[in-house]
Amino acid sequence: MTETPVRDRPARERTGRSVGRPIDRVDGPAKTTGTARFSAEYPYPDIAYAALVHATITRGRITGIGAEEALAVPGVLAVITHTNAPPMKPPPPVSVLNLSSLASGSKVNYLNTDEVHWSGQPVAVVVAETQEAAAQAAGLVRVTYQESPATVDFAGEQGNATPQKSNPLQQGEGHKGDAEAALAAAPVSVDLRYTTPPHHHNAMEPHATTAAWDGDRLTVHDGTQNIGWLRTALAQRFGVPAEGVRVIAPFVGGAFGGKTMVWAGTVLTVLAARVTGRAVRMTLTREGVYRTVGGRTPSAQRVALGAGADGRLTALIHTSVTQVGRVGGSPEQVTSQSRHLYDAAAILVQQRIVELDMLSNTVMRAPGESIGTFALEAAVDELACELGMDPIELRMRNEPERNPIDGKRFSHRMLREAYALGAERFGWADRTAPPGSMRDGRWLVGMGVASAYHPSWEMAANVTVRMSADGTVLVRCGFHEMGMGGATAQGQIAADALGVPFEAVRVEYGDSDLPTGPGAGGSAQTASVAASLTKACEKLRRSLLALARRSAGSPLRGARPGEVEARDGGLHRAGHPGSGESYAAILTRAGRPFAEAAVGSDTRAGTVAGQVRFMSKFLMDRRRWMKAACGAQFCEVRVDQDTGEVRVSRWVGAFDVGRVINAKTAASQLRGGIVMGIGMALSEETLVDPRNGRIMNPSLAEYHVPVHADIPPIDVCYLDEPDPTMPLGLVGIGEVGITGAAAAVANAVHHATGRRVRDLPITLDKLL
Amino acid sequence: MAEVRMRVNGTARSLDLDPRVSLLDALREHLGLTGTKKGCDQGACGACTVLADGERVNSCLALAVQYSGREITTIEGISAGDRPHPLQTAFVGHDGFQCGYCTSGQICSAIGMLAEHRAGAPSAVTGHLAATGVPLSDAEIRERMSGNLCRCGAYNGIVGAIQEVAATEAAR
């Protein structure tokens, strides 16, 4: 097999000196020398360790707890259960007016109730002087239960699914015309059923918390994707002022949605510290992560497509059933992309939900679209075969001018261009259409293609920017670093906005003492921070100009803002080289050590105002535009003709993600999404015992995430055309990479073998 | 309690440990060397990879007491003073990580892997088990590094970084 060198398409030269460049991550040295501290790595004198005890029944009540043996283990400090835990306030009801109410992973008030709601729910926490003692003692806590009947079988419960409710953020259903009638009348059609299994995030860093109380003040190190939500939630649960709760999370060891909500481990570490008066650390076991942190819902989907002989779609139907826990969960937008991708004359999308006695599901990289694009894009491939048409040609014939379901304008859409770019780089023209027609010795070779799609979002972010008299810049915002390279990208943005070298900018993040940042979710963090950061830089430039123009000695005396540009470390009259002065000179003459500008406020009124601004902008935007990232995924597989082993041998992903801020980190993030998509296609599956809802493979040895040997060189390219409605024209890139990926693999497997596998993952038993 | 004496990153250390303490926990919780990561604590992810007398081991599956008298090298000990190890530099240049949690293990594993390759050890994708001078192709690196998971999916960058360092070493 030939190796294709990976080359990233360089971003075109832009006016900015930093934005677009493939700058090395600023935290690279810390991460490659082991000095980057993650949440279980903060030293505290006299620290104690905690371990969880998990329920062994699915649903019922605790009738007794025997802690004597556990307490007898040398070094054990406490066995905390519902019989002795101090009261905590239950999680607040979910409200769109208070987004932090979404933070709670489940409605359960852990250790404040004798009720058990899923197999694996924490029922006790053991605190000890050492990890070894805590783990041993946790195994000695004897819990007796009275069991109640439980409903846990997703496949068996689908007849009882109920329609998903719509809210301002998500819609459960939608239609245009009579799609069922159009389907029945269509000359060519497919009507197909797909299933996807539950998945787990499996971030390399297991969830871990270090917590220390000082009176009613609390310091928490926790690898969270939402510092603001975690702070509010802990203050609410423990009845202390939020101002006294500090959350520190500068490095998060991967998250992918699994660290968005506040899960039991975090709350119970804080509780253990409260009870024992010690600093307490708890690193969940890998099994503990599976038992207490939700994963991606399984899905059952129907996609039906009707078309004329010319390939124009007359009907598109996409319906889904997914699950939530009876104690919470996030309904998935499985049909989201099906509202936007194809110009079908009639459309029906509908999502249904079953409630099970299992841990809440939660968001995982591109919730909705990652599994929704699998079914839709595999079905489009099947229709192309029915029509005897090239699958790219079929997509291009149905590429819409306006948002198909409601006629809204796209803010920006270049899917055609993405396909053209990708097809050329991949060599799509060399593909021969009949399945099984391309071979290389014993290997059956297949090429598949699918569309990627993910909506773009923008959230509220508070930011301050400070220019010091030495010419250095400090950006402060409590955003999150799980691997996206946020500090690097925001540093590049600030450097260009202020006309200073990238090296002059320092970015502080990952701490609730900083201005509150957006959560890291919805691929929205970079755009959200960038929007506020560019505004703050503009304010800062104006206030620095105001200082200069009042000063008799300044070459900028009397200059108006419109005449001045930021470059070369200062402000200059536009078009007149040497007609300005450096920021350092302005500040020094004014006798100021620094100047600072802020966007957003963390006062109570400021927080409410920020939330109102966010919701109104969001709703207004949604009325006017459809905004999204999209792309074309090209996959080549080789399938062993005898064993059915599938190897992904080549990949090209061509994306329309607006402007790219950092060519290096952006490519890595898109590539990472594709890698997770390959896992979803070929190996990833959380196995649930249908009798009791217990996860049967809660480990990295039995849940197969892709390893080095599974991943070929992945060629990622992008168009780098700014979206005119987004800050700096950038569209989120964290999630679009996983979308379409599993369908591209499935379509390639069909091309290689002639076999359609509609139930993920495509393991070799399904090909034999 | 058991007394454990070992050299860690060139320094003699003596610890009085519960015999159940893993080499990983000894490093992280008792010596404060938190650069070595706990990903699964059951030998399935490689985040805890360190070098014992130059050979890569999953430190979570090793009891510290078994390593008495051995020379342990962790991510904190691979640089030459202020000069980073070539792999550390190459990982940054090739963007061979995102969140950084698997990185220490990947780098230590790569050091051990390159030594194994130099010593002529074959892998599952080596054509001839007795062959000598097997070129370190991308496929060889991927096979030999497959015990080190990266959920962010930085595999291409990791392979690129290792290739760069291997090529530099070979040229010497």
Side-chain angles (χ1 to χ4, degrees):
Chain A
M1 163 180 128
T2 54
E3 303 266 352
T4 320
V6 175
R7 278 184 304 269
D8 298 330
R9 187 160 177 261
R12 226 168 306 153
E13 252 335 286
R14 297 274 174 196
T15 48
R17 299 167 57 89
S18 293
V19 167
R21 278 172 52 203
I23 294 177
D24 287 347
R25 288 167 196 273
V26 291
D27 55 14
K31 286 177 175 174
T32 53
T33 54
T35 50
R37 266 189 209 282
F38 293 83
S39 48
E41 298 169 356
Y42 286 80
Y44 278 83
D46 210 23
I47 197 160
Y49 296 84
L52 294 178
V53 179
H54 302 277
T56 53
I57 63 158
T58 306
R59 187 161 168 258
R61 285 181 188 280
I62 301 167
T63 52
I65 292 189
E68 300 75 18
E69 272 179 274
L71 284 165
V73 172
V76 168
L77 300 166
V79 175
I80 309 167
T81 70
H82 73 282
T83 62
N84 61 5
M88 290 183 288
K89 296 208 171 67
V94 169
S95 154
V96 184
L97 296 173
N98 170 19
L99 291 177
S100 74
S101 65
L102 297 167
S104 191
S106 85
K107 292 178 215 163
V108 177
N109 197 356
Y110 308 107
L111 306 198
N112 274 211
T113 173
D114 62 350
E115 293 175 7
V116 173
H117 300 276
W118 76 86
S119 177
Q121 177 185 317
V123 291
V125 57
V126 177
V127 192
E129 297 288 353
T130 66
Q131 283 189 92
E132 293 75 23
Q136 181 195 359
L140 296 173
V141 176
R142 310 292 175 207
V143 186
T144 52
Y145 304 93
Q146 183 180 27
E147 286 194 63
S148 313
T151 309
V152 295
D153 183 12
F154 175 69
E157 281 302 307
Q158 287 179 26
N160 299 326
T162 56
Q164 182 179 321
K165 291 195 191 88
S166 296
N167 67 41
L169 298 176
Q170 295 194 332
Q171 289 156 307
E173 61 176 23
H175 64 91
K176 178 175 82 171
D178 186 344
E180 293 285 7
L183 179 72
V188 185
S189 65
V190 293
D191 194 344
L192 304 159
R193 302 291 186 281
Y194 296 88
T195 65
T196 61
H199 297 128
H200 274 77
H201 312 80
N202 283 307
M204 295 307 300
E205 178 200 29
H207 292 57
T209 309
T210 305
W213 287 94
D214 176 10
D216 271 353
R217 300 182 70 82
L218 169 68
T219 304
V220 178
H221 307 270
D222 184 277
T224 175
Q225 291 177 248
N226 202 317
I227 288 169
W229 282 8
L230 177 55
R231 180 197 214 194
T232 309
L234 289 176
Q236 184 265 333
R237 300 295 299 276
F238 289 90
V240 296
E243 296 70 38
V245 177
R246 184 170 178 203
V247 177
I248 300 173
F251 296 105
V252 180
F256 316 109
K259 296 172 183 173
T260 301
M261 310 296 172
V262 181
W263 298 100
T266 305
V267 175
L268 294 180
T269 309
V270 174
L271 179 75
R274 194 78 162 155
V275 168
T276 59
R278 300 271 293 265
V280 173
R281 173 175 303 156
M282 179 155 63
T283 302
L284 297 189
T285 61
R286 187 52 67 175
E287 178 178 351
V289 177
Y290 278 84
R291 302 262 179 257
T292 65
V293 177
R296 194 197 296 285
T297 174
S299 77
Q301 305 180 47
R302 173 193 176 208
V303 180
L305 303 169
D310 61 355
R312 290 300 306 267
L313 285 176
T314 52
L316 187 163
I317 297 169
H318 191 172
T319 65
S320 66
V321 180
T322 60
Q323 79 178 46
V324 294
R326 219 180 292 284
V327 290
S330 320
E332 284 232 357
Q333 288 283 84
V334 177
T335 68
S336 150
Q337 69 292 318
S338 304
R339 302 160 170 269
H340 314 301
L341 271 176
Y342 297 104
D343 193 14
I347 297 176
L348 171 66
V349 290
Q350 195 173 59
Q351 297 168 171
R352 296 167 75 80
I353 297 284
V354 293
E355 266 193 4
L356 299 179
D357 295 303
M358 292 174 66
L359 171 57
S360 327
N361 70 308
T362 193
V363 293
M364 179 169 160
R365 203 169 202 164
E369 292 87 7
S370 57
I371 53 177
T373 51
F374 162 64
L376 177 67
E377 292 298 288
V380 168
D381 200 73
E382 294 212 31
L383 180 67
C385 282
E386 288 292 318
L387 286 159
M389 189 178 286
D390 178 87
I392 298 179
E393 176 59 25
L394 174 60
R395 287 178 172 87
M396 294 304 100
R397 286 193 190 184
N398 291 287
E399 179 61 9
E401 291 301 316
R402 284 179 170 247
N403 193 40
I405 200 159
D406 56 18
K408 266 187 299 193
R409 276 183 297 167
F410 293 115
S411 65
H412 169 89
R413 177 150 163 146
M414 300 182 74
L415 188 56
R416 279 182 193 283
E417 291 80 355
Y419 266 102
L421 175 65
E424 196 211 321
R425 289 173 77 96
F426 186 75
W428 184 256
D430 299 336
R431 176 184 187 262
T432 56
S437 63
M438 299 180 80
R439 296 179 70 109
D440 180 6
R442 60 184 285 106
W443 294 98
L444 305 171
V445 179
M447 296 185 184
V449 71
S451 295
Y453 185 93
H454 189 265
S456 41
W457 300 65
E458 203 185 313
M459 294 181 280
N462 297 347
V463 174
T464 65
V465 189
R466 171 182 294 198
M467 174 70 71
S468 291
D470 62 0
T472 60
V473 177
L474 176 63
V475 175
R476 303 176 89 229
C477 175
F479 66 83
H480 312 81
E481 169 52 29
M482 302 118 63
M484 310 85 97
T488 315
Q490 300 302 336
Q492 289 173 266
I493 291 168
D496 282 3
L498 295 169
V500 301
F502 173 71
E503 294 71 26
V505 184
R506 193 160 61 85
V507 181
E508 287 182 358
Y509 57 93
D511 190 334
S512 64
D513 271 4
L514 298 169
T516 303
S523 299
Q525 182 170 266
T526 304
S528 307
V529 177
S532 296
L533 176 57
T534 48
K535 274 187 217 136
C537 289
E538 169 68 27
K539 279 170 84 171
L540 183 60
R541 283 198 310 266
R542 282 173 180 270
S543 65
L544 284 158
L545 177 62
L547 277 182
R549 55 188 298 221
R550 285 200 300 268
S551 166
S554 172
L556 292 166
R557 184 168 172 81
R560 284 195 294 270
E563 303 166 0
V564 170
E565 64 186 12
R567 62 178 154 84
D568 304 328
L571 297 173
H572 300 267
R573 287 180 201 266
H576 295 79
S579 64
E581 61 181 337
S582 68
Y583 297 120
I586 295 171
L587 287 164
T588 305
R589 188 180 315 97
R592 303 245 188 122
F594 63 85
E596 191 166 270
V599 165
S601 153
D602 280 313
T603 61
R604 196 171 292 264
T607 307
V608 172
Q611 204 131 294
V612 169
R613 230 181 2 255
F614 159 75
M615 278 309 281
S616 55
K617 181 174 187 310
F618 174 82
L619 294 173
M620 240 157 64
D621 258 13
R622 273 288 140 110
R623 269 215 297 274
R624 288 181 66 189
W625 307 106
M626 189 53 227
K627 305 185 190 195
C630 61
Q633 307 269 25
F634 291 82
C635 165
E636 180 190 274
V637 297
R638 282 154 191 263
V639 184
D640 187 295
Q641 63 181 13
D642 297 320
T643 67
E645 178 186 3
V646 179
R647 310 300 303 173
V648 175
S649 48
R650 283 201 303 136
W651 199 285
V652 173
F655 296 95
D656 169 24
V657 288
R659 174 173 295 176
V660 165
I661 304 299
N662 183 315
K664 188 176 282 196
T665 54
S668 291
Q669 232 184 320
L670 291 166
R671 211 172 267 134
I674 292 166
V675 170
M676 202 176 273
I678 292 173
M680 180 178 143
L682 295 178
S683 63
E684 292 189 34
E685 178 172 27
T686 305
L687 298 164
V688 177
D689 188 329
R691 298 165 303 176
N692 53 25
R694 194 166 175 84
I695 294 171
M696 299 187 288
N697 59 338
S699 87
L700 288 168
E702 294 160 294
Y703 180 109
H704 294 279
V705 307
V707 303
H708 274 283
D710 298 324
I711 301 303
I714 295 172
D715 177 12
V716 161
C717 52
Y718 44 82
L719 300 163
D720 205 24
E721 288 293 337
D723 178 321
T725 66
M726 292 295 285
L728 292 174
L730 77 92
V731 170
I733 54 173
E735 292 167 285
V736 68
I738 192 176
T739 67
V745 175
N747 297 342
V749 167
H750 171 260
H751 183 233
T753 64
R755 301 283 294 271
R756 291 283 180 190
V757 177
R758 302 188 187 97
D759 304 293
L760 292 184
I762 307 169
T763 44
L764 41 76
D765 52 301
K766 295 173 187 165
L767 289 170
L768 291 176
Chain B
M1 301 298 266
E3 195 191 0
V4 178
R5 291 164 182 272
M6 49 191 175
R7 288 182 72 80
V8 180
N9 299 330
T11 306
R13 309 296 294 253
S14 176
L15 294 165
D16 201 23
L17 295 176
D18 183 324
R20 296 173 297 184
V21 173
S22 67
L23 178 57
L24 172 62
D25 287 332
L27 293 168
R28 283 171 63 85
E29 305 297 334
H30 296 267
L31 294 174
L33 294 170
T34 53
T36 307
K37 303 304 180 193
K38 182 180 281 189
C40 69
D41 216 18
Q42 48 193 188
C45 78
C48 65
T49 307
V50 299
L51 299 164
D53 298 321
E55 291 190 353
R56 48 183 178 163
V57 295
N58 283 335
S59 62
C60 74
L61 288 188
L63 292 172
V65 291
Q66 293 175 292
Y67 284 78
S68 218
R70 307 281 294 272
E71 172 84 43
I72 305 298
T73 308
T74 71
I75 190 72
E76 291 94 342
I78 63 166
S79 62
D82 286 345
R83 216 177 62 244
H85 188 282
L87 276 166
Q88 291 174 309
T89 311
F91 264 64
V92 176
H94 287 263
D95 217 28
F97 56 90
Q98 290 182 39
C99 78
Y101 201 78
C102 74
T103 313
S104 304
Q106 299 277 0
I107 292 175
C108 286
S109 184
I111 293 172
M113 182 276 288
L114 288 170
E116 290 162 21
H117 177 255
R118 273 196 304 273
S123 83
V125 299
T126 307
H128 246 281
L129 289 186
T132 54
V134 175
L136 198 61
S137 64
D138 285 2
E140 282 281 356
I141 292 179
R142 291 201 294 261
E143 173 63 28
R144 290 163 190 259
M145 290 295 293
S146 279
N148 289 84
L149 306 183
C150 169
R151 187 55 159 164
C152 299
Y155 292 130
N156 283 185
I158 296 169
V159 173
I162 295 171
Q163 279 293 19
E164 183 192 311
V165 171
T168 316
E169 278 185 6
R172 255 196 238 121

